[in-house]
Amino acid sequence: MKFATTTGSKLITGLILILAAGVLVAGEKPASYVKPDVDLAVYKRVMVQPLIMDNMEILKPAWEQDNDEEWTPNPENRPMVQEWFMDAMQKELEANGGYTMAGQPADDVIRIEVEILSVTPYVKPGTPFSDGQFEISTLGSGDVMVSAEFRDSKTRELLILAEGERTIGDQYKKLNRDNHIANIKSLFATWGEKVRKALDKAHGK
């Protein structure tokens, strides 16, 4: 992760590298589990479940481990984040003659359930964006650990399980609410794009 603190034209940049096993990078990475001989081509519609955040943990980054303050999620943000997730998935999956969102199980419907296991913000939630002299910029907003299950909607048989960590945002932006929201929406759109590409590949598109 990169921090940049600016004051006038002065720029001080530091680089902190976090190495972790099983990290999902921007490129393709094998899923944790794929059912042998799974055929996604039989699925023409998609049933996306609401984003699960019930047991989400807020973890401190490595450089805040000596900080005794408790970092907690804001439950008031949950419905808003879940709405962004659903909107992004629907937009990416249905666009340009894609895959209709289904509300009920059926033979041609694949069920997708995504759970956020933990979030590691780069700065403590509620941190002031500026003290009047310095402004904080970060490369992304933090890291998120997710688990995504793809199941047959009728039998609930597990077809694909994908787990791993992703960075929320990939550009330097000032630390503020609008940029955090943009980073989250961008990540959800990326998830939708990846699901769309997998289905398109199965259907020979």
Side-chain angles (χ1 to χ4, degrees):
M1 173 214 158
K2 295 183 179 179
F3 274 117
T5 306
T6 63
T7 173
S9 60
K10 188 175 182 181
L11 175 66
I12 305 171
T13 305
L15 173 63
I16 300 175
L17 296 178
I18 301 178
L19 301 178
V23 173
L24 287 177
V25 295
E28 298 300 323
K29 181 182 178 68
S32 302
Y33 168 79
V34 178
K35 176 191 172 184
D37 301 322
V38 63
D39 182 12
L40 297 182
V42 302
Y43 301 107
K44 309 295 191 299
R45 295 181 292 157
V46 181
M47 185 168 66
V48 180
Q49 299 300 294
L51 182 66
I52 301 174
M53 304 172 65
D54 297 343
N55 298 309
M56 181 182 72
E57 293 185 278
I58 300 296
L59 305 179
K60 296 178 184 177
W63 52 91
E64 289 284 358
Q65 292 303 310
D66 293 334
N67 184 340
D68 293 333
E69 293 181 284
E70 183 178 2
W71 292 22
T72 57
N74 184 350
E76 296 179 358
N77 292 333
R78 182 180 301 175
M80 183 169 52
V81 174
Q82 291 173 320
E83 182 179 350
W84 296 338
F85 168 78
M86 193 64 72
D87 288 347
M89 295 295 287
Q90 182 171 3
K91 178 181 178 181
E92 297 299 333
L93 291 171
E94 290 189 340
N96 302 318
Y99 306 90
T100 304
M101 299 283 277
Q104 298 294 330
D107 290 335
D108 65 342
V109 175
I110 188 171
R111 184 180 191 271
I112 301 175
E113 182 174 285
V114 179
E115 180 177 8
I116 296 183
L117 304 176
S118 67
V119 176
T120 305
Y122 289 155
V123 296
K124 181 183 177 182
T127 297
F129 304 142
S130 171
D131 62 2
Q133 182 180 7
F134 294 95
E135 289 184 339
I136 300 175
S137 296
T138 61
L139 183 61
S141 299
D143 297 318
V144 58
M145 181 67 70
V146 299
S147 174
E149 295 182 355
F150 299 76
R151 295 179 178 271
D152 183 278
S153 65
K154 290 195 72 174
T155 66
R156 299 291 292 273
E157 181 181 13
L158 181 62
L159 307 174
I160 301 173
L161 171 65
E163 296 180 324
E165 188 176 58
R166 291 298 302 268
T167 298
I168 309 171
D170 58 2
Q171 297 179 3
Y172 270 117
K173 294 180 181 179
K174 291 181 180 179
L175 179 67
N176 60 47
R177 178 177 174 80
D178 289 343
N179 285 335
H180 282 323
I181 292 174
N183 287 337
I184 294 170
K185 288 184 176 181
S186 177
L187 179 63
F188 290 162
T190 298
W191 292 354
E193 290 172 4
K194 287 186 177 296
V195 174
R196 174 64 182 268
K197 288 180 180 178
L199 290 173
D200 282 351
K201 183 176 180 180
H203 286 272
K205 294 183 180 181

